[in-house]
Amino acid sequence: MLEITRQADKTFRSFGTNWEVVFDGPKPGLFSLRPDGALTVVSRYAVIDNLQESSALSSSRKVHHSNDGLEARFESSCWIPFGADPGISRKFKLSEGFLAVTMDFQIRPSFRVRSLFAGGYCLTGGIVQFAVLTAPESGVVLPQPDWKRFDSVAEGSVIYDSAQPPVALLAESTEGTVLEIATGEDFWRWTASASDTVSRYTLTKTENGLEASWLPYEFHPRPEVEVPAGRNRRMNFLLAWRKKDEGPRSANYREVFDMAAFDWPETHLAYDQAGNPVKTRPCFAAPGVVNVLKKWVRRKLADLREGDVLAVTNVAPVFCTCAAHQDRARMKSLPHLDVYGINEFRRWANRQLAQKGAKLEIVPAEGVNLPSI
């Protein structure tokens, strides 16, 4: 039974098998995650122009629990009592080994924002090795992790510095846990696209671990260009963790849906950066893909018994550019990831299957070893 409970120190805590999440800790507005006894992730405060989130006033806190006890949500919001009173809200969706975060900035049009620092995180503790995953230069398949020994990198080294965020950071702990910190489905929202604007993402080795800085928007005007009017912004990211090489444990499946064998329509496929669909590579962000899988689960539901396991096999996360998958078909290209969609489908399927005492497992394609799937 997954629960988020309020503590005496006014933080909100949840825990599971060897892990713990604390919201509003170590300070109000922040959160911390311990995926095992060796690693700790602590979020960083945002800054809107020169207005610090650390000086913000808390507004509301809400906790929600699912009826099946497999998922919990936490919502927080604050406002900065200076200037145009911008607000920041966060929604967290928590399940075993997975935390999805939606961060919203409420900025009035009258507030002409020159820079938006979205925080980032500090990862500390026993890090054995790490890898930075970036968007593929061609195709839609994410590159294989290029693992580096943590102790081989000098303190103060800038490991990553780019206008685009990394797709994910992977870190292996001394206790054998692999942690993934990744952008959410909306990769396209993380990069400044308007004229005279830039974005910058860095990852630096510190004395105690790794520090990520997120700057999705900074305005560098020409003399005749006025600072744009403020607008609301949204960013999604996720954290996932599991023991190294831990995967599906079932030896026999009642029924199997092979993602690689199904004849997917072109609109369901992932599109590469040139705008071409890639055969046999469906994108879980496409509503049609999830609809096909949901129909399959519903067809099997009536015949299932206690202990039965369904499997969706050959699942491979993709980096897709099809704007229609983001419900913006008129746009030319909107890069996004489908890991979030994979997990949303798994949660939906297991809610349905729990009625029969059955469950669903996602079986990654060969060579895919990410905690998020």
Side-chain angles (χ1 to χ4, degrees):
M1 186 76 169
L2 193 64
E3 291 185 309
I4 298 174
T5 57
R6 186 165 187 170
Q7 307 297 296
D9 61 359
K10 297 184 180 181
T11 62
F12 294 80
R13 177 177 179 264
S14 186
F15 65 93
T17 307
N18 299 321
W19 61 265
E20 176 189 56
V21 177
V22 178
F23 303 108
D24 276 345
K27 296 179 180 180
L30 299 180
F31 76 92
S32 58
L33 164 69
R34 294 183 62 191
D36 64 7
L39 296 179
T40 302
V41 183
V42 178
S43 63
R44 301 177 63 191
Y45 278 127
V47 182
I48 306 175
D49 272 7
N50 61 345
L51 301 181
Q52 305 279 339
E53 185 188 1
S54 57
S55 63
L57 301 178
S58 297
S59 178
S60 67
R61 300 292 186 265
K62 296 179 182 178
V63 175
H64 308 271
H65 296 110
S66 63
N67 292 332
D68 58 12
L70 299 178
E71 185 177 289
R73 290 179 292 159
F74 178 76
E75 299 178 15
S76 66
S77 61
C78 68
W79 57 281
I80 305 175
F82 303 103
D85 295 340
I88 303 171
S89 65
R90 294 180 177 87
K91 295 180 180 178
F92 302 86
K93 186 179 291 187
L94 176 66
S95 55
E96 182 71 31
F98 192 89
L99 177 65
V101 186
T102 297
M103 182 163 52
D104 285 302
F105 296 90
Q106 291 90 37
I107 303 174
R108 299 174 183 174
S110 60
F111 186 5
R112 297 187 176 275
V113 180
R114 291 182 176 273
S115 67
L116 174 62
F117 178 72
Y121 59 87
C122 294
L123 172 63
T124 59
I127 305 172
V128 176
Q129 59 178 351
F130 68 93
V132 179
L133 290 184
T134 57
E137 294 183 2
S138 61
V140 298
V141 179
L142 297 180
Q144 286 294 309
D146 180 16
W147 290 99
K148 291 182 172 58
R149 294 285 303 182
F150 183 72
D151 57 13
S152 70
V153 179
E155 182 183 329
S157 297
V158 178
I159 299 162
Y160 184 87
D161 190 343
S162 175
Q164 282 195 337
V167 168
L169 168 75
L170 302 176
E172 181 187 334
S173 80
T174 52
E175 294 189 1
T177 298
V178 178
L179 170 69
E180 175 184 354
I181 306 175
T183 57
E185 184 174 305
D186 58 345
F187 188 91
W188 55 276
R189 283 197 178 107
W190 287 61
T191 304
S193 57
S195 59
D196 300 301
T197 62
V198 298
S199 53
R200 186 183 183 190
Y201 296 88
T202 62
L203 184 66
T204 306
K205 181 174 180 179
T206 64
E207 179 182 359
N208 300 314
L210 297 170
E211 182 177 270
S213 294
W214 298 343
L215 183 71
Y217 171 87
E218 189 170 53
F219 183 65
H220 292 276
R222 291 164 288 167
E224 69 278 10
V225 178
E226 188 177 14
V227 180
R231 63 179 181 85
N232 296 340
R233 299 184 69 99
R234 168 171 288 183
M235 298 172 68
N236 290 280
F237 61 99
L238 62 88
L239 302 93
W241 59 97
R242 71 171 184 217
K243 288 297 182 181
K244 187 178 181 181
D245 298 325
E246 182 181 281
R249 300 176 182 176
S250 301
N252 298 305
Y253 298 116
R254 175 69 184 270
E255 298 285 349
V256 172
F257 187 103
D258 187 344
M259 296 291 290
F262 190 80
D263 185 17
W264 297 102
E266 186 173 290
T267 54
H268 295 178
L269 297 175
Y271 284 58
D272 62 21
Q273 299 206 35
N276 301 313
V278 179
K279 291 183 178 179
T280 75
R281 295 291 182 182
C283 175
F284 270 81
V289 171
V290 177
N291 288 339
V292 167
L293 293 170
K294 285 184 175 181
K295 289 179 182 178
W296 175 73
V297 170
R298 291 188 182 106
R299 286 198 303 269
K300 304 301 178 184
L301 192 58
D303 298 327
L304 294 178
R305 298 179 180 178
E306 181 84 24
D308 283 344
V309 180
L310 300 183
V312 178
T313 63
N314 282 316
V315 176
V318 296
F319 183 90
C320 174
T321 62
C322 180
H325 297 174
Q326 297 293 288
D327 199 26
R328 289 168 169 80
R330 294 183 179 180
M331 303 291 288
K332 183 177 180 181
S333 173
L334 288 178
H336 56 275
L337 299 152
D338 72 343
V339 165
Y340 190 82
I342 294 171
N343 280 276
E344 281 294 291
F345 164 71
R346 173 166 47 195
R347 285 195 286 266
W348 174 89
N350 279 316
R351 284 195 293 269
Q352 313 310 309
L353 297 174
Q355 303 171 37
K356 292 295 190 76
K359 68 176 183 177
L360 176 130
E361 289 184 355
I362 298 292
V363 182
E366 184 177 358
V368 177
N369 191 20
L370 293 176
S372 56
I373 66 165

